[in-house]
Amino acid sequence: MRQSAQPASTRDRSASRVRVAIVYHSGRGHTGRQAEAVRAGVAQVEGAEALLLTVEEAQARWDDLACAEAIIFGAPTYMASASAQFKAFQEATSRAVMARGFAWQDKIAAGFTNSGSRSGDKLATLIQIALFAAQHGMHWVSLGLPPANNSTKGSEEDLNRLGFWLGAGAQSNVDQGPDVAPPEADLRTAEHLGRRVAETTLQLVRGRLLARQEAVR
């Protein structure tokens, strides 16, 4: 018999609170700022708590990730792909998670990425992360924002100014440090993603609880 998709600690958690983990790699600190913004968005939702981990920290805290109802993944886009450090984390989940009962099945997932140029082939990284989540049987949450800054009425201050759908994209000028890049609009877009994932996760967890209660009546 296949092991339960969720550990007991997750199944027994009160539906009034959910944990959203954010697992990321950052090369120069820009994607780290994006990750912090995602965490801030999660924290804006009553009933949600955020757990921010680098990919190195995450590989020492598999049990904490098992207890999370959602995981948001983030990586910089290098050479049209996620960074090597993030891919090493992905491969480590094969034995640490997938081989141990498909343990992330039915968790919520989402993704974000940063690069030096406006496009920077960030979509390739978001697709890679989405496929990774699908391999674990997770439920993907998109950005949920229309593209912006695409008309004479738009501006660089708009949310989703770069026009991504699958996840949150950010752009950091290559000659600027993480103290000034990515710009505020991209950080607020990342906040939106964190808030959206937290709200969706609460809805899913509470819906599952109600379904179980109905099933035993």
Side-chain angles (χ1 to χ4, degrees):
M1 179 182 298
R2 183 171 67 82
Q3 297 181 27
S4 172
Q6 294 177 309
S9 55
T10 299
R11 295 195 306 271
D12 297 340
R13 184 192 294 268
S14 170
S16 64
R17 293 200 65 80
V18 297
R19 174 178 291 178
V20 179
I22 302 147
V23 179
Y24 74 98
H25 171 250
S26 183
R28 295 177 52 210
H30 302 91
T31 311
R33 285 200 69 201
Q34 196 181 13
E36 291 280 0
V38 172
R39 176 169 66 173
V42 173
Q44 292 169 10
V45 178
E46 184 177 357
E49 60 184 31
L51 174 65
L52 186 66
L53 299 172
T54 66
V55 289
E56 293 82 10
E57 292 168 338
Q59 292 178 69
R61 298 182 65 174
W62 296 117
D63 288 344
D64 289 325
L65 292 178
C67 292
E69 286 80 16
I71 308 177
I72 306 175
F73 304 101
T77 295
Y78 295 155
M79 301 303 292
S81 181
S83 61
Q85 292 89 335
F86 185 81
K87 286 188 281 190
F89 162 76
Q90 288 180 307
E91 293 180 13
T93 67
S94 177
R95 290 188 178 182
V97 180
M98 190 176 293
R100 297 184 177 182
F102 213 37
W104 287 356
Q105 184 180 22
D106 293 333
K107 292 183 185 296
I108 294 290
F112 60 93
T113 187
N114 171 82
S115 70
S117 57
R118 298 178 70 88
S119 171
D121 291 323
K122 285 189 278 283
L123 179 59
T125 297
L126 291 174
I127 291 173
Q128 180 185 3
I129 296 174
L131 288 172
F132 166 68
Q135 289 182 336
H136 281 284
M138 304 173 81
H139 300 298
W140 185 263
V141 174
S142 66
L143 181 59
L145 283 174
N149 194 28
N150 59 358
S151 73
T152 56
K153 296 181 180 179
S155 81
E156 287 289 280
E157 304 303 316
D158 292 341
L159 292 183
N160 198 21
R161 70 184 179 101
L162 301 176
F164 283 88
W165 303 89
L166 195 58
Q171 179 264 330
S172 299
N173 291 333
V174 297
D175 59 350
Q176 290 183 317
D179 55 326
V180 294
E184 185 63 27
D186 294 351
L187 296 179
R188 288 190 291 112
T189 300
E191 278 189 20
H192 169 87
L193 179 68
R195 185 168 58 250
R196 174 172 164 84
V197 169
E199 291 170 346
T200 302
T201 304
L202 277 168
Q203 293 168 359
L204 181 64
V205 169
R206 290 169 178 171
R208 285 172 176 166
L209 178 61
L210 288 174
R212 288 199 296 270
Q213 292 173 342
E214 289 293 330
V216 298
R217 287 180 181 174

